Each structure stands twice: as structure tokens, then as C-alpha cells.
Amino acid sequence: MKFYDVSLTISNDLPTWPGDPVVHLRRIHDIANGDSVTLSQLDFGVHTGTHVDAPVHFVPGGSGADTLSLDTLIGLCEVRRVPDEAKAISAEILETLHIPFGTTRVLFRTSNSAIWARGENKFQTDFVAIDRSGAEWIVAHGIKLVGVDYLSVAPFDAGFPTHDILLRAGVIPIEGLNLSQIDPGEYLLYCLPLKLKDADGAPARVILIH
């Protein structure tokens, strides 16, 4: 078996969604400075880096990140490569990806992964994401978890429909994956978000096993 960590490293240089809290990671005690211990402080938003969205993020009265089912977050998944020329993950594109019948978890590797591969730390607005038709296709085909390789499952200027369709249907979005080293195929997925009570999202460590 081979293990792949497809999580982004949280650092002060990590890009965040415009208007979201930026990452502040700092040492408040340091053995190198004569302190008895080294101790760090971390301040950032729950939608930082690799993270999951909870229903309450877009659905009034929805549940929080601490209620997301491990049965959905852990299990077999399909990684599919979206053509680099695609501007969005639409229903038309999804029809071409040959996702096996009965698949419940899909991660989409797009041209976004090249952003992480080159170490880009400036937020990009032209990333590839799932449009309304793609979200409707995902729900209609019984998929319960989707993963994307940039910081939102929805296009930059059209976030509401995609999120609303997926979250109301109980689909868990994983956002901010780095799939630049991952080939298409079947993997065992472990996605473990922090157990934050009633939170609208939670950072996650995501591992693929092949």
C-alpha cells in the first residue's frame, strides 16, 4: 500500500478566501530564546486550507461539522481527472469522466492542482469548480462526498447555487485538496476534520491509500 497526503500545509503564506481570516501561526515561547518550552499559537478561519463544509455553512438551521458522518468521510473513492481545458465541472463534463455506477465519493483533479504544485501563495479567482448543473448531476447520481483541488467547491463568482444544492442533499464537500501527484483511479479515503461543535466548516487531514 502507498499513502498519499493530499492536504495543504497550513502556514502564514497559505492563501485564504478574500475576506476570510488569514493564518497567524507564531511561537509565543521558544526554547531557542531561553524559554522552558516551545509553544505556538494558531489563529485562522475554519475554511482554511484543506477543509470540509458543513450544512450550516449555507443552510439555515443546518448541522455543524461535528455531526458529519465518518461513514461518508472514510471509504473507497474515485479520483477523476478533469480535462485541463475545462472551465467548470459541469454535468456535461461529468458525463465524460466514466464515474462507475454506485460511486459515493469522488475527488476531482483539475488544472487547479498545478497551482499548488508551483507553490502559488496568491489567491486565484479563475479556479475550476462545480457549477449548478454539475451539483445537480452529483446529487442525482447518489454521490455523497465530493472533493475539489482549490478552496471552494463552487466557482468564485457563483458560490451559492452549488453549495446550496450539495449541502441540502447531504453531500459533504472537501475543499482545498492537493491532487497534483495523484493519478486517476480508486483509492481508500480518510478525511478527518477537526470536531468543532456547531461549526460551519473544519480543517481536515486527508489521506489517500492505493
Side-chain angles (χ1 to χ4, degrees):
M1 292 189 299
K2 188 166 184 180
F3 294 80
Y4 299 91
D5 185 350
V6 292
S7 316
L8 298 173
T9 300
I10 294 175
S11 73
N12 292 327
D13 296 326
L14 186 67
T16 56
W17 191 268
D20 279 10
V22 298
V23 178
H24 289 291
L25 175 60
R26 66 187 183 93
R27 294 267 174 90
I28 57 175
H29 297 297
D30 197 329
I31 291 174
N33 295 331
D35 296 322
S36 59
V37 297
T38 296
L39 180 66
S40 298
Q41 179 174 313
L42 177 61
D43 179 17
F44 65 123
V46 297
H47 297 273
T48 298
T50 307
H51 65 279
V52 300
D53 285 352
V56 71
H57 187 36
F58 274 80
V59 180
S63 56
D66 54 315
T67 70
L68 297 177
S69 171
L70 291 178
D71 287 339
T72 303
L73 292 164
I74 298 172
L76 293 176
C77 77
E78 293 287 334
V79 175
R80 284 294 179 267
R81 181 71 183 264
V82 175
D84 285 346
E85 60 271 19
K87 300 302 181 184
I89 303 171
S90 63
E92 182 179 7
I93 289 291
L94 288 167
E95 286 289 349
T96 71
L97 298 183
H98 307 295
I99 299 169
F101 177 79
T103 296
T104 56
R105 305 172 191 86
V106 185
L107 311 183
F108 297 110
R109 177 180 170 179
T110 75
S111 57
N112 298 334
S113 280
I115 298 170
W116 306 123
R118 67 175 182 261
E120 179 64 60
N121 58 17
K122 180 181 178 181
F123 182 84
Q124 308 293 301
T125 61
D126 59 348
F127 60 88
V128 178
I130 301 169
D131 68 11
R132 177 194 286 268
S133 72
E136 291 171 344
W137 190 98
I138 286 164
V139 172
H141 285 75
I143 294 169
K144 294 301 182 184
L145 179 146
V146 292
V148 293
D149 53 356
Y150 206 64
L151 298 178
S152 176
V153 75
F156 179 70
D157 56 354
F160 182 81
T162 296
H163 281 96
D164 188 62
I165 292 165
L166 295 178
L167 292 171
R168 285 186 184 276
V171 179
I172 299 177
I174 308 176
E175 301 173 326
L177 295 167
N178 180 358
L179 301 175
S180 59
Q181 304 302 311
I182 305 301
D183 293 324
E186 185 181 71
Y187 295 81
L188 180 58
L189 167 73
Y190 284 85
C191 174
L192 298 178
L194 294 178
K195 197 173 183 180
L196 305 177
K197 183 173 176 57
D198 298 330
D200 47 282
R205 191 73 177 262
V206 181
I207 305 295
L208 296 178
I209 302 175
H210 190 56

